[in-house]
Amino acid sequence: MSYHIYTTDGIILKRTPFGEANILVHILTQDLGLIMASARSARLYVSKLRPALQEYADVSVTCIKGKGGWKITNVVSKGSFYFEYPKYTHKVMSQVTTVLMKMIQGETPHKEVYEIVKEGFTFLKNVKEDLVSDFEVLIVLRILKELGYVVNDDVTNTFLGNEWSDELLIKININKMSIVAVVNKALKESQL
């Protein structure tokens, strides 16, 4: 039986060891949605997959879907949103990952969500420490909007475009109470 080979860009959100040397990774992909894929022997020092399969890695991943789920056959690292970033940004990446893992159900493609996360994480590298919590509110608001949990209205309209800037984060800070209320309402209504 032959399997179709898929190659897509992705961001590794979570990595879990299993078995003697294998890992299971959750990858937010550009074309396949949020997938969970195994990488056999990827924790071995000699594994060609090991260096690229780190949390918050920006990758091009090649995988197949078999009876037992997704299996990674190759991965190429295009950078890291973790190692090259200030430590104060790491908690925000973790919190965004938690939201993504809870809110994205199944393997439905969400190209817009992938773009928001990739562009947002790219912008995050230069966000000042005092604006990081505002960045978190903005990226979660945009993710929830793309997943259908937030509507574009008078409160959210300014923040749902494609722009990433310090000026926009300052506007988030000024309107933080109302934006956080929108985010919390969306999270509560999702019942996830």
Side-chain angles (χ1 to χ4, degrees), residues 49-65:
L49 302 176
R50 185 180 60 83
L53 291 177
Q54 305 299 320
E55 288 183 334
Y56 310 114
D58 181 14
V59 296
S60 174
V61 64
T62 302
C63 50
I64 58 172
K65 187 164 188 179

Side-chain angles (χ1 to χ4, degrees), residues 26-191:
H26 290 78
I27 311 168
L28 179 64
T29 67
Q30 185 174 29
D31 302 315
L32 306 171
L34 179 61
I35 65 168
M36 185 169 46
S38 63
R40 297 187 57 71
S41 303
R43 287 188 291 148
L44 295 177
Y45 182 72
V46 294
S47 172
K48 66 179 182 149
L49 302 176
R50 185 180 60 83
L53 291 177
Q54 305 299 320
E55 288 183 334
Y56 310 114
D58 181 14
V59 296
S60 174
V61 64
T62 302
C63 50
I64 58 172
K65 187 164 188 179
K67 289 180 185 175
W70 290 99
K71 294 183 183 0
I72 296 173
T73 59
N74 192 30
V75 64
V76 176
S77 177
K78 299 193 302 182
S80 172
F81 294 116
Y82 187 85
F83 295 112
E84 302 162 8
Y85 281 51
K87 282 193 178 206
Y88 61 82
T89 63
H90 296 172
K91 184 177 178 185
V92 171
M93 285 188 258
S94 174
Q95 291 168 324
V96 169
T97 294
T98 300
V99 169
L100 289 166
M101 303 270 288
K102 284 182 181 176
M103 301 306 288
I104 298 178
Q105 302 296 311
E107 295 175 359
T108 307
H110 294 287
K111 193 170 194 153
E112 297 82 6
V113 173
Y114 170 80
E115 294 299 330
I116 288 167
V117 174
K118 176 148 185 180
E119 291 169 14
F121 280 7
T122 301
F123 173 71
L124 179 60
K125 184 174 189 175
N126 297 312
V127 171
K128 297 177 187 107
E129 189 169 3
D130 61 328
L131 294 175
V132 167
S133 67
D134 303 310
F135 168 83
E136 180 185 352
V137 171
L138 179 60
I139 194 168
V140 170
L141 178 72
R142 288 181 176 179
I143 290 167
L144 293 174
K145 196 284 186 185
E146 285 304 325
L147 294 174
Y149 294 106
V150 170
V151 295
N152 197 343
D153 61 18
D154 293 341
V155 176
T156 61
N157 186 40
T158 306
F159 307 108
L160 295 176
N162 296 325
E163 175 193 1
W164 296 94
S165 68
D166 287 348
E167 293 77 21
L168 193 59
L169 296 183
I170 291 166
K171 287 180 187 176
I172 284 278
N173 188 283
I174 293 166
N175 298 287
K176 199 169 207 167
M177 285 183 61
S178 57
I179 299 299
V180 168
V182 169
V183 167
N184 287 338
K185 181 180 178 197
L187 291 171
K188 184 178 179 184
E189 289 179 354
S190 73
Q191 299 178 358

